Amino acid sequence: MDDPALSNSSTEDDEVIKEIPIFNSTRLQKNLYLFRYPLLSKKCLNELNLKRGFFKPNNQQIELEMCIDVESSNFDSDRAELIAQEVDGPPESRKPSTRVHFENDVVDKVCLKSASAVKDPNKYAALAYTGKEIHLTTLRNIFQFRPSFNYLDRSSKKRKDVDHNDLSDEEEAGPSTALPITVKFKQSDDRWKKSKSDSFKALEAKSAEEAWVNCEVHSESSSLSKVEKLKLIAESNEPTGQAMTLSDGEYVRVLVPEDEGQGTTEPSSPSHIMSLHTLRASPILEQCRVLLKDAQIMQFQQLMMILAGGEGLTADTLLKNLPKVAVLVRGNWVVKSEVLYPSNTFSSTSGVPAELMCRTRDYVLYLFTKNRYVERKKVSSVMKIPSEEVKEIFTGFSKLSHNKGWELVLPTDNDFVVKHNDIVQKQNDAWEQKFKQLSAYLKDNKKQRRKSKSVSEDGKVRNGVSYVSSDNDSGTEKNKSPVAAAKSKSARGMQEST
């Protein structure tokens, strides 16, 4: 162990070589942002060629357009032109007023979309050193940028529109012997209406209400950039001497101010979430619940990309929270039925109780774990609920395939199945247990229907003697007393003997 006396003496002998004053600059603290590019190498950052930017101040969102080096030997010009035509259409068939994504009819740019990197960016500052002084400017926000390929959605939408016109619901065709039965339930409350306003689509709609602000991009060596950099230096460099006049307690409070007036948020209530930035700041479990409640089915990598930038988000923490609000079906995460249909509520279509909707939806998901395609009519006949309710369940996470039935809207996530085999096995065991519970429920329900049917039969019992109904269409012997029935029977026997 070191001798404390020697340690103290070495500290006293360590003289201060230079004192550097620190100043707080406020000229850019409301407009200073830090950009991070985690997917780009240092070489790419040096060659980063930004074309233009778009900014939403209220929602704290930024999009940047980065130019692609079309002269590079790694650039496939033929493929780039083909993709541009799929997105914007052939140049000869476009109208002059048509808005195109690629002005040069080639994929020569890529969009970078921002995500908040930290929960409280006010704790971070940018430092400028002049050689004699240090100037600190508080950051407004810290963004991480990742590529976004929204233009691919336009091409896929065109293909879906064409396929949608060719497809029809084949399940509804053909004669049916089933008699229509209308069942109506009185709704106890409007909770299902409130849940719609808490969806992820509502959050996107709030973000869409704010228009993008066009921003010009200036190079690092431009004169305007040099002028803006000068604002990192504080205007007043005169020392205030405040530290010499304050007491110890007051000086500590100046260094570490109290968070007065900082109200606590309520992340469990999505109605308080005003932007995607706030959503990422809420607990991971709440983020998963809000996203999956609206999308109903998502892949693990999709969740990681959307929630990227949230504080404490890792693959392990996400995998720990996902099973609490979702189940695994063919490698995809599907929101639990209890989240969509809370207890003591009813379906929004015909008022079927939430408990029955949950059992039916779980039965459908179990069938998807065993089969790629599922028939809607079979589910309706087994669960005994209206066909429209079953269709509402299917349309949430599946699509109708021509002459095959319904299949999941997302393909099997084989990568997740291979990497997380232990989680897949646990989910499979949970599905088998769920199926046993569903089988027991269907068996008990079938017994109750048989019992109610036997009670409503024409045969009745009085004083231990059964009243027998005749098969005769005239019905003259129906509901006769036992004595009258016996006399009628003996009379017919005498007529037959004569």
Side-chain angles (χ1 to χ4, degrees):
M1 295 180 63
D2 296 336
D3 190 354
L6 294 177
S7 178
N8 293 335
S9 61
S10 62
T11 304
E12 294 176 355
D13 295 337
D14 191 5
E15 61 177 325
V16 177
I17 298 176
K18 186 178 181 180
E19 292 185 0
I20 303 176
I22 299 176
F23 299 93
N24 182 28
S25 177
T26 59
R27 291 194 288 176
L28 288 178
Q29 66 178 5
K30 293 184 179 180
N31 299 300
L32 187 59
Y33 298 85
L34 177 64
F35 291 0
R36 298 169 59 183
Y37 305 90
L39 300 183
L40 298 180
S41 63
K42 185 176 181 180
K43 181 179 179 181
C44 293
L45 288 176
N46 295 332
E47 300 174 355
L48 189 63
N49 185 10
L50 297 179
K51 184 178 181 181
R52 56 182 175 178
F54 306 91
F55 183 40
K56 287 187 178 182
N58 296 333
N59 287 275
Q60 290 292 288
Q61 295 177 353
I62 297 178
E63 286 188 3
L64 302 175
E65 285 187 0
M66 183 178 68
C67 297
I68 299 176
D69 185 10
V70 297
E71 303 297 332
S72 173
S73 59
N74 299 322
F75 183 77
D76 189 351
S77 58
D78 295 336
R79 183 61 180 171
E81 292 178 359
L82 179 61
I83 296 176
Q85 290 186 8
E86 290 181 353
V87 175
D88 299 327
E92 59 272 12
S93 63
R94 291 199 301 261
K95 297 180 180 179
S97 59
T98 303
R99 183 180 178 184
V100 296
H101 187 80
F102 301 102
E103 296 83 1
N104 300 324
D105 297 329
V106 64
V107 182
D108 57 353
K109 62 181 180 181
V110 63
C111 179
L112 300 178
K113 195 172 183 179
S114 68
S116 182
V118 294
K119 183 178 180 180
D120 189 3
N122 294 327
K123 296 180 179 179
Y124 301 87
L127 184 148
Y129 182 56
T130 63
K132 296 181 180 181
E133 303 165 343
I134 292 177
H135 297 260
L136 299 178
T137 303
T138 305
L139 295 177
R140 177 69 184 275
N141 208 338
I142 302 176
F143 292 116
Q144 287 184 346
F145 286 89
R146 288 177 171 82
S148 176
F149 306 98
N150 294 332
Y151 58 86
L152 295 179
D153 296 338
R154 298 174 59 181
S155 61
S156 62
K157 184 177 184 299
K158 292 180 181 179
R159 291 193 296 267
K160 288 181 180 179
D161 293 339
V162 174
D163 297 339
H164 180 72
N165 295 330
D166 298 336
L167 291 178
S168 60
D169 193 346
E170 298 294 336
E171 294 184 352
E172 304 298 336
S176 178
T177 58
L179 298 177
I181 299 177
T182 303
V183 181
K184 294 183 178 180
F185 298 88
K186 182 180 178 181
Q187 294 189 4
S188 60
D189 51 30
D190 295 331
R191 294 182 183 177
W192 65 271
K193 292 182 180 179
K194 182 180 180 299
S195 63
K196 291 185 178 180
S197 62
D198 300 340
S199 64
F200 184 70
K201 290 182 179 179
L203 300 176
E204 285 187 322
K206 292 178 182 179
S207 175
E209 292 176 359
E210 183 181 3
W212 287 103
V213 179
N214 293 331
C215 302
E216 296 182 4
V217 179
H218 299 271
S219 63
E220 183 180 1
S221 58
S222 65
S223 58
L224 184 59
S225 297
K226 294 179 180 179
V227 171
E228 291 297 315
K229 286 181 181 179
L230 293 177
K231 295 181 181 180
L232 294 173
I233 308 301
E235 294 179 337
S236 177
N237 296 345
E238 296 295 330
T240 59
Q242 187 181 29
M244 302 300 178
T245 59
L246 296 177
S247 63
D248 294 343
E250 292 174 345
Y251 182 65
V252 170
R253 282 193 292 270
V254 171
L255 292 178
V256 187
E258 298 179 357
D259 296 334
E260 296 180 357
Q262 182 177 359
T264 57
T265 58
E266 298 180 11
S268 60
S269 178
S271 60
H272 291 76
I273 300 175
M274 300 301 295
S275 65
L276 300 179
H277 167 69
T278 311
L279 174 64
R280 296 188 182 101
S282 59
I284 297 178
L285 180 62
E286 180 66 14
Q287 296 179 40
C288 297
R289 189 190 70 82
V290 173
L291 287 176
L292 286 167
K293 186 176 182 181
D294 178 71
Q296 292 205 29
I297 180 171
M298 297 184 72
Q299 292 186 346
F300 181 74
Q301 288 300 326
Q302 292 176 329
L303 286 165
M304 286 292 295
M305 291 183 65
I306 293 177
L307 300 179
E311 185 175 1
L313 178 68
T314 61
D316 293 336
T317 56
L318 188 58
L319 290 173
K320 183 179 180 181
N321 286 273
L322 271 176
K324 299 178 182 178
V325 294
V327 292
L328 196 65
V329 180
R330 307 185 76 84
N332 302 302
W333 288 99
V334 185
V335 65
K336 285 187 175 181
S337 303
E338 295 81 4
V339 177
L340 284 181
Y341 305 102
S343 57
N344 300 325
T345 60
F346 297 88
S347 168
S348 59
T349 305
S350 62
V352 175
E355 182 181 2
L356 184 55
M357 291 293 291
C358 289
R359 294 184 187 275
T360 305
R361 189 173 183 273
D362 289 341
Y363 179 61
V364 173
L365 292 177
Y366 175 78
L367 294 179
F368 273 117
T369 62
K370 300 298 182 182
N371 310 282
R372 180 178 178 182
Y373 299 99
V374 178
E375 295 184 14
R376 176 161 61 98
K377 289 184 179 180
K378 291 184 178 180
V379 176
S380 182
S381 62
V382 171
M383 301 305 297
K384 307 299 180 184
I385 69 171
S387 178
E388 288 299 322
E389 300 296 331
V390 181
K391 188 174 183 179
E392 175 186 334
I393 293 174
F394 272 98
T395 53
F397 50 79
S398 60
K399 61 183 178 180
L400 183 64
S401 297
H402 187 63
N403 291 332
K404 293 181 180 180
W406 293 80
E407 65 174 338
L408 296 179
V409 295
L410 296 179
T412 303
D413 193 351
N414 294 316
D415 292 339
F416 183 87
V417 174
V418 173
K419 292 180 181 179
H420 306 281
N421 189 38
D422 54 337
I423 297 178
V424 175
Q425 186 60 41
K426 290 181 181 179
Q427 289 288 317
N428 290 338
D429 296 340
W431 274 121
E432 295 300 328
Q433 184 65 26
K434 176 71 71 174
F435 180 70
K436 291 180 181 180
Q437 297 174 0
L438 289 172
S439 301
Y441 165 78
L442 293 175
K443 186 176 181 181
D444 295 341
N445 197 20
K446 188 175 182 180
K447 288 182 179 179
Q448 293 179 1
R449 288 200 301 270
R450 287 180 176 178
K451 185 177 180 180
S452 61
K453 184 177 180 181
S454 62
V455 173
S456 61
E457 291 291 338
D458 291 337
K460 299 180 181 179
V461 180
R462 181 185 296 172
N463 296 330
V465 181
S466 298
Y467 283 73
V468 181
S469 299
S470 173
D471 293 336
N472 193 351
D473 292 338
S474 63
T476 54
E477 295 186 6
K478 188 176 182 179
N479 295 335
K480 285 187 178 182
S481 65
V483 178
K487 288 183 179 181
S488 176
K489 184 176 181 180
S490 60
R492 285 200 304 269
M494 293 176 63
Q495 292 176 2
E496 292 175 358
S497 63
T498 57

